[in-house]
Amino acid sequence: MGQRLSGGRSCLDVPGRLLPQPPPSPPPVRRKLALLFAMLCIWLYMFLYSCAGSCAAAPGLLLLGSGSRAAHAPPAPAPGPDGTTPRLPFQAAPATPAEGAASQEEQSPEMPDSPSPISSFFSGSGSKQLPQAIIIGVKKGGTRALLEFLRVHPDVRAVGAEPHFFDRSYDKGLAWYRDLMPRTLDGQITMEKTPSYFVTREAPARISAMSKDTKLIVVVRDPVTRAISDYTQTLSKRPDIPTFESLTFKNRTTGLIDTSWSAIQIGIYAKHLEHWLRHFPIGQMLFVSGERLISDPAGELGRVQDFLGLKRIITDKHFYFNKTKGFPCLKKAEGSSKPHCLGKTKGRTHPEIDREVVRLLREFYRPFNLKFYQMTGQDFGWD
């Protein structure tokens, strides 16, 4: 026994033969951290993507980029061209946003704003669509104010500048027009505004050819006040033009109104509306009062949101009245936390016009106004 033990080879003499093997070393900590970081990035992207439509609707989260901003997003392959709550009264805002602060925040609406963080994040999301709704008129009626107010709504995406496609650039084609539009997600409405469409004879047929379902919005204003505002705008650019009184008449002695002057001609709303009703039913058009857009912006915006099939998100809490400019401003502009009024080109002081000329103009417009009331089913109270 002893000899076998001494002469034989013990199992302990073979290193590692029966000893247990050590467990494999764990993965490096750095690899785990990298994997965790990647998973966190994926989760954050999915969360923000799912929040794009719902989170923006919450008060104070008006961060989605506007039409003018999204227009600068990198282009994507474009599809084919075929492709109630009670109305709240308008109230002046509390003294929180000072008038001076509001005036400091004034900026020209035609100038592109800097994109918000979320709008930059989603600049490559969504797709460009032809507009489902267009503000077609009228010049100096309040179209810019309406568009700026509507852009607060998270489900409205609008071009900031006026495309002038259906009156000046129609030969460039629908693909060119669509490329001007902002990107939209499901459930959002694409819009644009060009006030000269309403008085362009070819525009109704051209828009109908694009889509017979396009919703049309017309902002109208007392035609006499509108004509004076139109003249005031021209006067600011060309101080040497003749007086309003001399431009109003073909013959001042007989009192014959010069309807060839655009400032006068635009205000004959009934005449222009006849052309549109040949291509669109009256129910597909909404007529917004420029006067009520100033005195009761929330009420008029409520009508517009209903017409567009949108939830009434824009209410009186979004506005305050700027006494200096004489019209309502936004407490928070779209994509900003600061007060916002229209630019300095809006709210100019009108020159004093001869009262007799104003009286003659009111007499001239009266029959056209009454016909317009009948055609639209609305009395705008201009007479």
Side-chain angles (χ1 to χ4, degrees), residues 15-304:
R17 184 177 182 182
L18 296 180
L19 292 176
Q21 298 294 322
S25 59
V29 176
R30 190 174 299 174
R31 185 182 304 173
K32 286 186 176 181
L33 290 176
L35 180 61
L36 181 62
F37 180 78
M39 293 177 65
L40 180 61
C41 290
I42 295 174
W43 176 86
L44 180 61
Y45 176 84
M46 295 178 65
F47 173 78
L48 289 174
Y49 188 86
S50 64
C51 251
S54 58
C55 292
L61 292 180
L62 304 174
L63 297 175
L64 284 177
S66 64
S68 60
R69 300 164 190 167
H72 300 284
D82 296 329
T84 84
T85 56
R87 180 166 67 85
L88 298 176
F90 173 57
Q91 301 174 353
T96 307
E99 297 294 335
S103 62
Q104 292 177 359
E105 294 305 322
E106 290 177 359
Q107 56 184 354
S108 173
E110 287 78 9
M111 296 298 292
D113 304 324
S114 58
S116 62
I118 292 185
S119 65
S120 299
F121 182 82
F122 287 110
S123 60
S125 302
S127 60
K128 295 187 176 185
Q129 306 290 336
L130 291 170
Q132 296 89 41
I134 304 176
I135 301 174
I136 60 174
V138 298
K139 180 184 179 184
K140 306 308 295 180
T143 59
R144 172 57 60 182
L146 177 60
L147 184 69
E148 291 299 299
F149 295 164
L150 274 176
R151 288 168 72 177
V152 172
H153 201 293
D155 291 333
V156 171
R157 303 283 283 145
V159 182
E162 297 174 2
H164 283 282
F165 174 66
F166 294 104
D167 58 349
R168 302 178 187 172
S169 304
Y170 193 64
D171 59 331
K172 294 183 179 179
L174 286 174
W176 177 87
Y177 180 51
R178 184 183 57 242
D179 194 53
L180 299 178
M181 300 299 123
R183 297 179 185 277
T184 54
L185 302 174
D186 290 342
Q188 292 181 322
I189 293 177
T190 302
M191 291 188 65
E192 70 116 317
K193 80 104 175 172
T194 304
S196 54
Y197 289 164
F198 188 64
V199 298
T200 301
R201 293 288 297 268
E202 300 83 6
R206 290 172 175 177
I207 294 178
S208 177
M210 177 188 70
S211 173
K212 296 183 181 298
D213 298 325
T214 306
K215 294 185 177 182
L216 308 172
I217 301 176
V218 190
V219 187
V220 289
R221 183 183 184 186
D222 182 331
V224 178
T225 308
R226 196 221 66 82
I228 297 173
S229 179
D230 199 337
Y231 172 80
T232 304
Q233 182 182 55
T234 305
L235 184 65
S236 68
K237 301 175 182 177
R238 297 168 50 198
D240 59 336
I241 63 172
T243 64
F244 180 88
E245 291 83 353
S246 61
L247 291 171
T248 298
F249 300 98
K250 281 187 176 180
N251 189 318
R252 179 72 181 268
T253 304
T254 61
L256 181 61
I257 304 295
D258 187 358
T259 57
S260 65
W261 185 29
S262 63
I264 300 295
Q265 197 234 15
I266 290 173
I268 310 175
Y269 303 138
K271 176 182 176 182
H272 304 301
L273 181 56
E274 288 176 348
H275 302 308
W276 289 90
L277 294 182
R278 295 171 188 168
H279 300 274
F280 292 93
I282 193 70
Q284 209 164 310
M285 305 180 72
L286 179 70
F287 300 89
V288 176
S289 167
E291 287 81 13
R292 288 196 293 269
L293 199 57
I294 295 175
S295 63
D296 182 19
E300 286 301 279
L301 265 293
R303 294 179 60 240
V304 176

